[in-house]
Amino acid sequence: MKKKNLTFGILAYPATHSLSPKMHNAGFKHTGIDAKYKAFNIKEEELENFIKNLNKKRIHGLNVSMPYKEKVIQYLDGIDAIAKKIGAVNCIYVRGGKYYGTNYDWKGIVNPLKKIMPLKGRKILLLGAGGAAKAACFGLKKEGAKVFILNRTFETAKKLAKKYGFKATETVEFMPEIIINCTSVGFENPEESPINPKVFKDAVIVLDIIYGHKTRLVKDARTSGVPYILDGYEVLLHQGYATFEKWTGKKAPKEIMRKVIGNR
Ligand code: ATR
């Protein structure tokens, strides 16, 4: 990346609370890259126009968050095989003046787990079957994990499980080593948990995609003595590292990016 004064950003609605500007701007500064990362708070009726004018606005890359990860695809020049398989885009990049979509959410989920233990052959309980769970499945399949999907709507779990050769389950019949919460339970009401804490008996890692280590799930994991408890900030950081490297071609300054998000 040689050009100067480039603009990157997060496309979402709302985008105002995102920590991505802080994380990437610190990364750019530390690496000596002349770029800024902004929050683009775009309403749905402005989405098409916004994407079609990225070139004019000299925007060189975007992260995509709720509610546009799927909706944005139709306006891009193309998406790569990973985004196609997951069915969602969380990163837009430029090649030859055209805008393409990819997805690093799966890295956000799988990479922090891999740092703790290899995932090959590991039995994992995945809670949820929505957007985040789809990205998790892509990554967990790549790592050769054995995934059991438990979701409020069993049919949705079945469909996702079938796509990746995993199992959909209505009850937990084993004690998983890794539990990943990809549901939104605990987001609005932190006292609600998607799972009975009994399943934490043999757990080594609990990853809750909700931010802040404040959910009932995280508290239960702590009480049960689970050694590694990760939350949504870890997911944000790991997808952020991958995005940074895709855009800049440089190694992400991980410790700097982690520091501004808050050492967790
Ligand atoms: P995201 O893109 O953040 O993953 P999503 O695609 O809306 O969001 O998925 C939300 C997930 O949380 C789904 O698995 C959803 O279950 P359903 O498939 O049954 O809708 C789950 N979820 C949301 N609210 C829930 C609740 N109150 N109890 C249990 N599961 C819930």
Side-chain angles (χ1 to χ4, degrees):
M1 196 171 74
K2 290 179 202 79
K3 286 182 215 156
K4 289 195 156 214
N5 199 14
L6 298 166
T7 302
F8 296 88
I10 170 95
L11 162 65
Y13 193 79
T16 35
H17 301 300
S18 170
L19 288 169
S20 289
K22 236 173 134 179
M23 175 173 72
H24 283 291
N25 283 324
F28 292 147
K29 193 171 167 204
H30 182 81
T31 326
I33 293 171
D34 187 11
K36 55 184 177 300
Y37 188 109
K38 297 179 177 173
F40 294 104
N41 200 41
I42 304 296
K43 290 194 178 135
E44 189 162 350
E45 58 270 27
E46 301 162 354
L47 182 67
E48 180 174 2
N49 202 32
F50 178 78
I51 297 293
K52 293 198 167 151
N53 285 297
L54 290 177
N55 227 331
K56 260 193 221 149
K57 293 189 190 22
R58 305 198 60 230
I59 292 173
H60 210 70
L62 289 173
N63 282 126
V64 185
S65 194
M66 269 173 43
Y68 299 134
K69 289 185 183 190
E70 293 170 29
K71 286 191 191 108
V72 78
I73 294 174
Q74 59 190 311
Y75 305 124
L76 295 172
D77 294 309
I79 62 171
D80 72 0
I82 295 171
K84 215 170 269 172
K85 176 95 189 191
I86 296 172
V89 158
N90 96 311
C91 172
I92 297 173
Y93 60 97
V94 187
R95 286 292 174 277
K98 292 193 181 296
Y99 288 85
Y100 298 101
T102 185
N103 193 312
Y104 292 123
D105 283 335
W106 66 276
K107 288 200 176 194
I109 293 169
V110 158
N111 286 1
L113 302 176
K114 266 168 69 176
K115 275 180 71 178
I116 298 167
M117 59 162 80
L119 304 177
K120 196 170 168 55
R122 200 83 61 179
K123 277 186 175 180
I124 296 179
L125 177 64
L126 176 65
L127 308 172
K134 286 177 184 163
C137 281
F138 177 85
L140 295 170
K141 183 73 189 176
K142 222 170 147 61
E143 292 302 318
K146 289 193 174 131
V147 179
F148 296 77
I149 307 173
L150 181 70
N151 190 45
R152 177 176 62 180
T153 312
F154 184 57
E155 279 309 308
T156 322
K158 262 183 21 195
K159 205 169 148 206
L160 181 58
K162 193 169 172 220
K163 180 168 175 178
Y164 288 97
F166 294 153
K167 273 210 165 104
T169 179
E170 283 177 292
T171 50
V172 188
E173 283 151 12
F174 66 103
M175 288 295 151
E177 282 174 285
I178 301 175
I179 295 135
I180 306 170
N181 176 37
C182 282
T183 75
S184 47
V185 180
F187 179 68
E188 300 226 319
N189 177 5
E191 281 314 308
E192 240 185 281
S193 172
I195 195 78
N196 188 310
K198 277 187 200 156
V199 305
F200 296 146
K201 194 176 149 283
D202 296 337
V204 179
I205 313 175
V206 168
L207 166 61
D208 189 350
I209 53 151
I210 295 168
Y211 296 126
H213 275 131
K214 291 191 187 102
T215 56
R216 167 59 40 206
L217 182 92
V218 163
K219 286 179 192 160
D220 285 346
R222 231 180 252 139
T223 313
S224 309
V226 176
Y228 296 96
I229 304 172
L230 310 172
D231 77 341
Y233 288 113
E234 209 56 45
V235 178
L236 175 78
L237 277 166
H238 282 267
Q239 70 73 33
Y241 303 152
T243 299
F244 185 95
E245 292 179 359
K246 175 81 174 175
W247 286 339
T248 66
K250 296 193 177 186
K251 256 194 112 40
K254 295 181 182 171
E255 286 318 310
I256 301 291
M257 291 164 81
R258 178 176 292 276
K259 206 168 157 200
V260 293
I261 295 298
N263 254 320
R264 268 158 242 274

